[in-house]
Each structure stands twice: as C-alpha cells, then as structure tokens.
Amino acid sequence: MSCRRQSTETFGSKQWLIFYHESMKETAHKVGDLMGGTGTLSELEWNRFNDGFPNLQINKDDAQRLEKFYGTCLIVSFHTPEVIFEQLSLLYALPRLRARNFRIILPWFSTGTMERVEQVGQIATANSLARMLSCCPHGPGGPATIVIFDIHALQEQFYFSDSVLVELKSAVWLLKERLMKLKIENPDEEIAIAFPDDGAHKRFKSKFKDMPHIICTKVRNGDVRFVSIKEGEPKGRHVIIVDDLVQSGGTLLECAKPLMDMGATKVSCFVTHGVFPKESWKKFVGNDLIHKFWLTDSIPTTCSQIKDQAPFEVLSLAPLISNYLAGLAED
C-alpha cells in the first residue's frame, strides 16, 4: 500500500498521522492531499490468515513514533459486519501504542436505524455498536473522540459510555457548497429545499435558513398511503430533497411525484449516506423524476457501484474531515 510520508516537526506544529481502512483509501488520500504537510498517511497491511481472520500489521516506524505526532486519526467504514472486527482490532491497538489526540472518523453509524425496541426480544444494535466503540482504550491524552456524520437519530450519541467522546457533524455543508456553484451556473434558477417528513425538517431546517422550505408528509386514505405536500410551494423551483440516508429510495421517489405535479421545474436529492441495499440505486438510473442525486463517500461500496452512473454525483467528505483535523470544522 502506497503512502505519502512527511517528517514530524515539533509537537506544536499539529502534525497528524492518518490511518484508514482499505475501503476508505480514496477518501483518506484526498484528506492527506488537502492537509498538505500537516497530514501523513500511514502504511497498514490488511491481510488475512488462511482461516479468514485478520492479520494486521502497522508500519513499524509509525508504530514506534505515534506519540511524536500531535494527533492520530483513523478513518473507518463499518459498511458490512464482516469488516467491523478487523477495524475494531486496530482501533483498540492504536491508543496502546500511545497515539495522542486519537480521532476515529466513522462517517456512517451503520446500525443507527435500529435504535429502538418496540417489542420484547428485539435487539437495539445501535446500542450494541456504540458499546463496542466505547471499549476503545485511553491514550496518553485521555479518551478517544468518535466523529460521526449525520447520525440517524441524535439521541444515539448517548448510547456511548463516558469512556469515549462523541462529536456529531453534518455533511450538508457539501451540498450548500454545490448549490453555490449551481447559483453561479444558473443565476435565474430558484432553489427550494424539501424534507421528506417533519423529522428531517426539524433536523436540517437550520442549515438552510436562507432558502424556501417544503415539507412532505405521508397520508393514509383507507389502506392506501401516499405522499403529499404539507407545506411550501414547489412551483417554478428546482426542489432538492434532503435527508440523512436512503435505503430503498421509495420515499424519495414518492416525494418527487407530487413536487413535479405541483410545478417543480426539477427535483434532485441529497443524502449523506447512500445505503441502497440489493442495488436499489438502480431505480434512479434513467428515471426522469430525478435530475441529480448527490451523496457522500461515507459508504465506499455504494460509491464503487454508482461510479459514472447518472444521475449520481459523489461529494467527498475529505474537505470536512481535513477541516475538522485542522480545527476549522463546521457544526
């Protein structure tokens, strides 16, 4: 695995040593490029024994000099259960190697949609994953900090124990930057932000104070459920539906239909996490309802599947991660 080496200067220069899971290589290299001389990517061998269990090896030089860096960052991806154990193994090891200011960048908290127990016997796996992450040992500077982007339910931050710190960040700043470019390209186009339900509106409305809002809602008519426009005016506007994640995509498409019926000139979508189980992203390819679909690289397996597939465009989290490590992060 190739890496970009930088010499460590003084502790006060805030040099970061950056580790990453092999699935996050592209994102990590972008972070390293953006950080310039303050970010060093570390080599790590993600091998397996013949029985399938992980055989991991940190670069020896890096393992011996961790404490010389201002901070250590680990960019992980828990996109399938199969890759969680090997990443937890590294996560537990780095503080014991005296990693300072340990930051764990977990873009997608993958069990976040299973946060409630609605009947006896259900397991809230969001709590289970939080407990696993909370077992991270302390390093020379104290507890590790876990950074999560657009966690599905804000209360999940309280599933973590007091042995780690949790910082919740949002990726909607990437969309706002993209919208600024759209405004330059199409100065006469009016853009409105739509939310698929009241929950999304309450969560993201403060990020779009200067733009018109549209709220969708699900209505039941007998045994039939459909989406209608609860509030806002889509007519003559490019409407962008914003949510934290997409699974099958059915809700987004159901929202797009009444928006177009009520006169929207275009309907686009933005989600931070494109889960898309069973290749459900394919229902958006060639679909005239959706003009553009923006999502981040929080789930690398999805990014590899939708590469060069219209209407999708991936907005990398790398600028937000590099700004965070530099102390310039947005909320």
Side-chain angles (χ1 to χ4, degrees), residues 76-328:
V76 297
S77 175
F78 290 177
H79 53 273
T80 63
E82 292 78 13
V83 300
I84 293 178
F85 175 67
E86 61 190 17
Q87 294 178 82
L88 285 175
S89 300
L90 176 61
L91 185 151
Y92 295 156
L94 288 173
R96 295 187 180 278
L97 291 171
R98 303 195 63 79
R100 290 182 176 273
N101 296 316
F102 190 30
R103 299 293 189 271
I104 302 160
I105 310 296
L106 176 62
W108 176 44
F109 188 65
S110 50
T111 59
T113 53
M114 188 53 205
E115 82 282 13
R116 292 176 294 181
V117 174
E118 297 178 344
Q119 62 184 32
V120 175
Q122 280 187 317
I123 307 298
T125 51
N127 184 47
S128 304
L129 185 56
R131 292 171 67 186
M132 292 179 194
L133 288 163
S134 297
C135 291
C136 181
H138 285 201
T145 298
I146 301 170
V147 181
I148 302 172
F149 286 89
D150 292 314
I151 196 168
H152 183 64
L154 296 178
Q155 67 268 22
E156 290 170 0
Q157 64 187 298
F158 304 111
Y159 291 171
F160 294 82
S161 76
D162 292 340
S163 60
V164 295
L165 303 176
V166 178
E167 289 193 42
L168 303 184
K169 302 295 180 182
S170 181
V172 297
W173 308 108
L174 298 174
L175 174 62
K176 295 195 72 172
E177 185 177 85
R178 189 69 183 88
L179 295 184
M180 290 175 63
K181 294 179 180 178
L182 284 182
K183 194 64 178 175
I184 294 173
E185 295 168 2
N186 303 288
D188 296 329
E189 182 177 70
E190 187 175 2
I191 297 175
I193 302 298
F195 306 98
D197 51 44
D198 286 321
H201 175 246
K202 290 176 182 177
R203 178 170 183 171
F204 294 114
K205 65 180 180 180
S206 63
K207 306 292 194 301
F208 302 96
K209 292 180 179 179
D210 56 341
M211 305 182 73
H213 292 180
I214 298 169
I215 305 173
C216 302
T217 187
K218 288 185 177 180
V219 178
R220 182 180 294 277
N221 185 3
D223 294 332
V224 179
R225 289 203 312 170
F226 60 94
V227 173
S228 67
I229 307 303
K230 175 182 177 181
E231 183 179 316
E233 178 55 69
K235 187 175 182 179
R237 292 168 168 166
H238 179 182
V239 180
I240 300 172
I241 307 170
V242 174
D243 208 352
D244 64 314
L245 61 80
V246 58
Q247 293 268 4
S248 69
T251 297
L252 296 179
L253 291 174
E254 289 175 12
C255 289
K257 292 174 184 177
L259 290 170
M260 290 297 291
D261 290 344
M262 292 182 66
T265 57
K266 302 173 187 173
V267 174
S268 296
C269 302
F270 170 84
V271 298
T272 300
H273 312 296
V275 185
F276 289 126
K278 299 180 179 179
E279 298 186 324
S280 55
W281 56 268
K282 289 184 176 179
K283 67 181 64 173
F284 291 90
V285 177
N287 193 321
D288 294 336
L289 277 175
I290 305 300
H291 174 64
K292 293 288 291 186
F293 199 128
W294 294 287
L295 69 165
T296 78
D297 51 359
S298 66
I299 305 177
T301 47
T302 296
C303 292
S304 64
Q305 292 174 1
I306 66 170
K307 186 177 181 179
D308 300 324
Q309 295 273 5
F312 295 103
E313 180 182 340
V314 177
L315 306 178
S316 179
L317 290 167
L320 299 183
I321 297 172
S322 60
N323 283 347
Y324 170 77
L325 296 178
L328 304 173

